[in-house]
C-alpha cells in the first residue's frame, strides 16, 4: 500500500520546518505569504491532506467548515465549487448543509448545526434564522464563544432564495446600452424578469436610468417570468414598425425567445433587432446569431466568500472583494453598427 504523505514530507519538499507546515494548516499568524505559498505548493504536489483527527486532538479544532446554501431552489454548483476548493487549499473539510424552507424548521435545523460542535465555522449564502444574526447587518460575522462557531453570512440570496448579493449588480446593463447607443441605436425595449427578484429589479432600474441619461427612446418595459415564452410574447406584441430596435432581455432564456419571435417576423438580427441576454448560458455562444450576454464568475465569488469565513475563524484580516465578477461577452447579436 502506498504510504500516505506526512507533514514531514511536505516540510522536506518545501525546505521549511515541520512546525511551519503545521502553522500554515492551522492558520497560525506570523507566516509570510511567500512561505505559505511554498508550503501549499509542496502539499499539492504530494497530494497531502492534514490528519484532521490528530489535529483536533492537538488544537481542539475540528478542521471542518459548513456551507449553508439553498440547494433545493437553485443550481449552486459553481458557487460551491469555488468555496470548497478555497477551503481545501487551506486544509479544511467542507460539508454542505441544506436548510428547510419553513422558517421555524429552518431555525431549529440551523441551531442544531451550529451547536453540534462539529464545525469551526459556517458560511451561509442565504439569510440565517433570526437568532443567528440578530442585530447584525447582512455580511457581518457572528461569533459566539459558548458555541465555538464562527458564522459568516454573505447575503447572496434573500428570504425567498432569490439572488440578492454581488451578482445583482446591474452595471453591465448600462454598459450594453451605452455601446449599442454608440453604434447608432436610439430605440430600446427591456423584457424584464419577475419583480419579486432583486436581480430583476436592479436590471430594470439600470435600464430605465441608462435610457434617460443617454436621451434614448424606450418603447416599453415588459415584465416577464425568466422564460423563453415571455421573450417571444414581448416581441410578438410589438407593432410592425418597431425596428430598428435594441432589446435588453432579463436573461439568456428570455433573449432566446425574443430572437425566435423576431426571426419569425422577418426581422434580421442584428440589423433590424439587436438582442442582449444575461447569464452566458453554455448554448448562448452557439445560437444563430450568437448571443451577447453577461458572464457571472460565481466560482470566484464562492472562493472569496469562503476566504472571508476562514479569515474570521483564524482571526485574520478579511480578503478584499474581487472586481470583475460580471463581464459583458460581446457576440454577433449586437455586432452590427447602425
Amino acid at each position: 500500500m502506498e504510504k500516505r504523505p506526512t507533514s514531514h514530507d511536505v516540510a522536506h519538499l518545501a525546505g521549511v520546518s515541520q512546525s511551519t507546515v503545521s502553522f500554515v494548516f492551522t492558520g497560525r499568524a506570523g507566516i509570510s505569504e511567500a512561505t505559505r505559498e511554498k508550503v501549499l505548493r509542496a502539499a499539492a504536489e504530494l497530494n497531502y491532506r492534514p490528519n484532521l483527527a490528530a489535529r483536533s486532538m492537538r488544537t481542539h479544532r475540528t478542521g471542518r467548515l459548513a456551507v449553508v446554501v439553498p440547494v433545493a431552489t437553485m443550481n449552486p454548483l459553481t458557487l460551491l465549487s469555488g468555496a470548497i476548493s478555497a477551503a481545501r487549499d487551506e486544509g479544511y473539510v467542507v460539508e454542505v448543509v441544506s436548510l428547510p424552507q419553513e422558517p421555524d424548521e429552518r431555525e431549529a435545523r440551523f441551531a442544531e448545526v451550529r451547536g453540534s460542535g462539529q464545525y469551526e465555522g459556517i458560511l451561509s449564502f442565504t439569510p440565517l434564522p433570526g437568532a443567528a444574526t440578530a442585530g447584525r447587518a447582512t455580511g457581518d460575522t457572528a461569533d459566539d464563544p459558548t458555541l465555538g462557531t464562527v458564522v459568516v453570512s454573505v447575503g447572496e440570496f434573500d428570504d425567498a432564495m432569490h439572488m440578492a448579493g454581488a451578482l445583482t449588480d446591474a452595471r453591465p446593463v448600462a454598459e450594453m446600452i451605452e455601446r449599442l447607443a454608440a453604434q447608432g441605436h436610439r430605440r430600446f425595449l427591456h423584457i424584464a424578469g419577475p419583480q419579486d427578484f432583486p436581480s430583476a429589479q436592479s436590471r430594470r432600474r439600470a435600464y430605465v436610468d441608462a435610457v434617460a441619461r443617454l436621451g434614448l427612446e424606450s418603447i416599453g418595459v415588459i415584465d416577464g417570468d425568466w422564460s423563453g415564452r415571455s421573450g417571444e410574447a414581448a416581441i410578438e406584441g410589438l407593432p410592425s414598425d418597431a425596428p430598428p430596435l435594441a432589446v435588453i432581455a432579463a436573461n439568456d432564456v428570455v433573449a432566446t425567445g425574443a430572437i425566435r419571435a423576431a426571426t419569425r417576423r422577418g426581422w434580421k438580427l442584428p440589423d433590424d433587432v439587436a438582442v442582449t441576454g444575461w447569464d452566458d448560458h453554455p448554448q448562448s455562444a452557439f445560437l444563430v446569431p450568437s448571443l451577447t450576454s453577461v458572464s457571472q464568475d460565481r466560482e470566484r465569488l464562492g472562493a472569496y466568500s469562503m476566504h472571508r469565513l476562514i479569515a474570521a475563524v483564524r482571526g485574520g484580516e478579511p480578503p478584499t472583494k474581487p472586481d470583475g465578477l460580471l463581464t459583458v461577452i460581446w457576440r454577433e447579436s449586437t455586432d452590427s453598427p447602425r
Side-chain angles (χ1 to χ4, degrees):
M1 182 179 295
E2 186 176 352
K3 180 183 175 183
R4 176 177 175 174
T6 66
S7 60
H8 177 79
D9 299 325
V10 176
H12 179 74
L13 181 59
V16 300
S17 68
Q18 193 169 358
S19 60
T20 297
V21 173
S22 176
F23 292 161
V24 168
F25 281 99
T26 56
R28 180 77 65 88
I31 303 297
S32 71
E33 188 61 26
T35 299
R36 179 179 170 279
E37 288 297 327
K38 190 190 305 183
V39 169
L40 292 177
R41 281 197 301 271
E45 185 175 334
L46 294 172
N47 197 26
Y48 168 77
R49 289 289 180 267
N51 185 323
L52 296 180
R55 186 171 81 178
S56 179
M57 292 178 65
R58 292 195 311 271
T59 66
H60 304 290
R61 292 180 175 271
T62 67
R64 309 180 79 85
L65 303 172
V67 177
V68 175
V69 69
V71 176
T73 56
M74 63 163 294
N75 183 350
L77 294 181
T78 52
L79 203 63
L80 287 175
S81 175
I84 291 171
S85 294
R88 285 178 175 170
D89 287 345
E90 298 291 343
Y92 290 94
V93 168
V94 178
E95 294 182 12
V96 179
V97 177
S98 179
L99 299 183
Q101 298 295 314
E102 186 64 33
D104 290 344
E105 295 178 10
R106 187 189 307 178
E107 185 161 3
R109 174 58 177 149
F110 181 79
E112 176 187 349
V113 171
R114 190 176 184 188
S116 68
Q118 297 182 51
Y119 308 108
E120 292 182 46
I122 300 174
L123 173 64
S124 176
F125 288 103
T126 186
L128 294 171
T133 54
R136 299 180 175 89
T138 297
D140 280 355
T141 301
D143 186 5
D144 185 341
T146 63
L147 296 176
T149 302
V150 174
V151 179
V152 170
S153 175
V154 293
E156 297 303 336
F157 302 90
D158 64 13
D159 283 325
M161 306 307 182
H162 300 160
M163 186 70 75
L167 297 182
T168 63
D169 182 353
R171 282 178 290 182
V173 168
E175 180 183 343
M176 291 187 290
I177 292 174
E178 288 168 1
R179 176 156 165 172
L180 288 165
Q183 290 178 345
H185 282 283
R186 312 311 300 168
R187 181 177 291 181
F188 286 77
L189 171 72
H190 180 41
I191 309 174
Q195 292 304 293
D196 58 337
F197 282 73
S199 57
Q201 295 172 16
S202 180
R203 291 168 207 172
R204 180 181 187 139
R205 285 193 300 269
Y207 168 84
V208 172
D209 291 345
V211 167
R213 174 170 52 85
L214 298 171
L216 303 170
E217 177 189 358
S218 175
I219 65 171
V221 175
I222 301 175
D223 290 336
D225 59 5
W226 303 122
S227 72
R229 178 55 194 154
S230 67
E232 190 176 42
I235 299 301
E236 288 174 345
L238 294 178
S240 59
D241 63 351
L245 175 69
V247 177
I248 308 298
N251 68 7
D252 286 8
V253 179
V254 174
T256 301
I259 289 173
R260 173 178 170 81
T263 302
R264 291 179 66 179
R265 295 193 67 169
W267 296 343
K268 294 181 180 179
L269 281 81
D271 298 317
D272 297 324
V273 180
V275 180
T276 71
W278 191 292
D279 289 333
D280 194 30
H281 285 179
Q283 82 279 2
S284 296
F286 300 96
L287 297 175
V288 180
S290 57
L291 178 63
T292 290
S293 189
V294 178
S295 174
Q296 306 176 93
D297 196 340
R298 296 188 180 202
E299 188 166 354
R300 192 149 60 102
L301 177 61
Y304 157 74
S305 302
M306 179 56 74
H307 283 303
R308 278 186 57 187
L309 174 64
I310 292 171
V313 167
R314 294 175 173 176
E317 289 294 319
T320 302
K321 191 169 187 176
D323 293 324
L325 291 173
L326 300 173
T327 306
V328 179
I329 308 297
W330 296 100
R331 297 196 180 100
E332 297 165 350
S333 66
T334 59
D335 74 353
S336 179
R338 300 300 306 168

